[in-house]
Amino acid sequence: VAVNKIAVQTQPAAAPPAAIPPAAANLPPLAQAAIASLAAAAARGEEGDAKDERAVFRPDTWLLQCCWQSLADAGVFEQAMRLARLAAPRQPLAPVHCLYRLSRQIDKQWGLAHAIAAELETVQGPLLAPSLGEGTAQEADRLLYAAAAAANIGERQLAFACLERLDQFTKPWDRIMVQPDQRGMLAEMVLRVGPHPLTLSLITHALRRFGDAGAHFVLDICAGAAQRLRRSTAAPKMARLLSVGVDAFRNATLTSLHSRRLTAAVFGYAGLVDEVLAQLTTIANVQAARREGGLSLRQGDPALLRQVKRPTADADVDFQVYALREAIRGLPLRQLGREARLELANLLAALGNRSD
């Protein structure tokens, strides 16, 4: 309620008063501070050209951000975009980030998708225009938010255009893959737009180019595709994405136990019981070889948290249990035969007997 009153009472006029309006005197203190910050932001001239790129924002910048984010999450287009434009002098990505958050609420507000599409069309020219030098991180983030918003409202052509423009930057995906929020946004975008030469290339080469971060990216895509296939088997695009993701793990050179654990999870989403069991066997063999060779990744690690309630815990067995549980969680158990379910249950019980 306070945020809606803020949006109604704040108009981007030429010189609004910086003081708290009398009508807001009965609002909570935080709402009064937000109104004062909005009024100051609307009246700010050249002073607002400084960008807030720090980890800790100024209080007024933080309040502005909370206001437009709350309105965007509520699906209020006009007020959210108005406040995002007020925050743009300090946070240049606020308007396009606001469009992305609004696009996630199109099922709640009638006509919201059309408003977002119209706004994206107005910024499409500057957004896709070639830059003079190498693309900056801010330009890359702007293209990623715009592509995600376009994908959410069903504008596949614009989403592909933004992704192709982003791919022209110098190593644009390296920074995106190591940030979990942007990596998840990209994975959700790929699931919405479906197969494309660029997205298929990202999936195929993700493990080789980005390591564990790329493995998590492919895992997110496979998990989303498997969930959509369970709701509707008539989804050839999702089946294609899942198949490409499985092949990416199957043909990759796995150099760590963590990557094999993710591989078992992906095979589980694809319903490949035999390959899941093969990965668990490989993990157990690698752990046994390390123990016999006197190699332990945990020796001399001062940051390792020791088990207090489980002094006899076996970390290797726990790792196998967690890997198997994650794979079983993704398996379509109702579609498996009785023998396959019994084999998985027996292996899980055997690991439980070896653990404390």
Side-chain angles (χ1 to χ4, degrees), residues 209-332:
R209 295 174 59 185
F210 313 116
D212 286 344
H216 281 284
F217 170 69
V218 180
L219 175 63
D220 292 341
I221 293 177
C222 292
Q227 292 175 1
R228 287 164 170 79
L229 283 173
R230 291 178 187 178
R231 292 196 296 264
S232 174
T233 56
K237 294 182 179 180
M238 297 298 105
R240 176 77 184 284
L241 290 176
L242 181 58
S243 175
V244 173
V246 170
D247 289 339
F249 273 95
R250 184 178 288 156
N251 301 326
T253 302
L254 306 177
T255 58
S256 65
L257 292 180
H258 180 69
S259 61
R260 292 197 174 276
R261 174 180 173 179
L262 298 181
T263 303
V266 168
F267 289 161
Y269 285 117
L272 305 174
V273 179
D274 293 338
E275 299 199 32
V276 169
L277 296 175
Q279 290 299 322
L280 267 294
T281 302
T282 303
I283 290 174
N285 292 338
V286 172
Q287 291 175 340
R290 286 180 175 177
R291 286 194 301 270
E292 293 177 1
L295 300 176
S296 176
L297 299 179
R298 299 172 181 83
Q299 289 180 355
D301 186 2
L304 181 64
L305 179 62
R306 302 297 177 183
Q307 290 281 354
V308 177
K309 295 183 179 179
R310 301 175 58 203
T312 60
D314 189 333
D316 290 341
V317 175
D318 287 348
F319 186 88
Q320 296 179 47
V321 171
Y322 294 147
L324 181 58
R325 285 178 55 189
E326 191 173 359
I328 292 176
R329 193 177 293 115
L331 281 168

Side-chain angles (χ1 to χ4, degrees), residues 24-287:
N26 296 327
L27 293 177
L30 184 59
Q32 295 181 15
I35 292 175
S37 300
L38 290 170
R44 188 182 297 118
E46 298 179 355
E47 177 190 358
D49 292 339
K51 307 295 188 297
D52 275 350
E53 297 180 352
R54 300 164 296 177
V56 179
F57 294 154
R58 288 173 50 176
D60 54 351
T61 305
W62 177 81
L63 283 174
L64 286 173
Q65 180 177 346
C66 290
C67 288
W68 67 256
Q69 286 181 351
S70 299
L71 288 169
D73 292 339
V76 185
F77 177 81
E78 184 178 354
Q79 290 86 343
M81 288 302 301
R82 185 186 304 170
L83 298 189
R85 293 189 185 99
L86 288 179
R90 290 185 175 180
Q91 294 176 305
L93 295 177
V96 67
H97 190 184
C98 183
L99 287 176
Y100 166 68
R101 294 181 78 113
L102 284 166
S103 67
R104 298 165 61 184
Q105 312 298 328
I106 57 175
D107 295 334
K108 300 179 181 179
Q109 296 291 338
W110 178 262
L112 181 58
H114 295 286
I116 297 172
E119 185 69 22
L120 286 174
E121 186 176 358
T122 59
V123 301
Q124 181 175 353
L127 191 66
L128 301 178
S131 56
L132 298 178
E134 295 185 357
T136 63
Q138 186 180 109
E139 293 174 348
D141 290 345
R142 183 179 288 108
L143 284 168
L144 182 63
Y145 281 126
N152 287 342
I153 63 175
E155 295 288 340
R156 298 177 71 249
Q157 298 301 324
L158 179 57
F160 287 141
C162 292
L163 289 178
E164 291 172 356
R165 178 70 186 93
L166 180 60
D167 191 53
Q168 296 173 5
F169 289 11
T170 303
K171 295 183 178 179
W173 310 111
D174 295 24
R175 189 178 59 87
I176 292 175
M177 288 294 178
V178 298
Q179 299 185 29
D181 53 344
Q182 293 191 352
R183 184 177 65 227
M185 188 191 312
L186 181 61
E188 182 65 26
M189 189 194 323
V190 172
L191 289 170
R192 288 186 178 275
V193 300
H196 181 269
L198 177 58
T199 58
L200 294 180
S201 175
L202 278 175
I203 297 173
T204 303
H205 304 291
L207 276 75
R208 179 178 59 84
R209 295 174 59 185
F210 313 116
D212 286 344
H216 281 284
F217 170 69
V218 180
L219 175 63
D220 292 341
I221 293 177
C222 292
Q227 292 175 1
R228 287 164 170 79
L229 283 173
R230 291 178 187 178
R231 292 196 296 264
S232 174
T233 56
K237 294 182 179 180
M238 297 298 105
R240 176 77 184 284
L241 290 176
L242 181 58
S243 175
V244 173
V246 170
D247 289 339
F249 273 95
R250 184 178 288 156
N251 301 326
T253 302
L254 306 177
T255 58
S256 65
L257 292 180
H258 180 69
S259 61
R260 292 197 174 276
R261 174 180 173 179
L262 298 181
T263 303
V266 168
F267 289 161
Y269 285 117
L272 305 174
V273 179
D274 293 338
E275 299 199 32
V276 169
L277 296 175
Q279 290 299 322
L280 267 294
T281 302
T282 303
I283 290 174
N285 292 338
V286 172
Q287 291 175 340

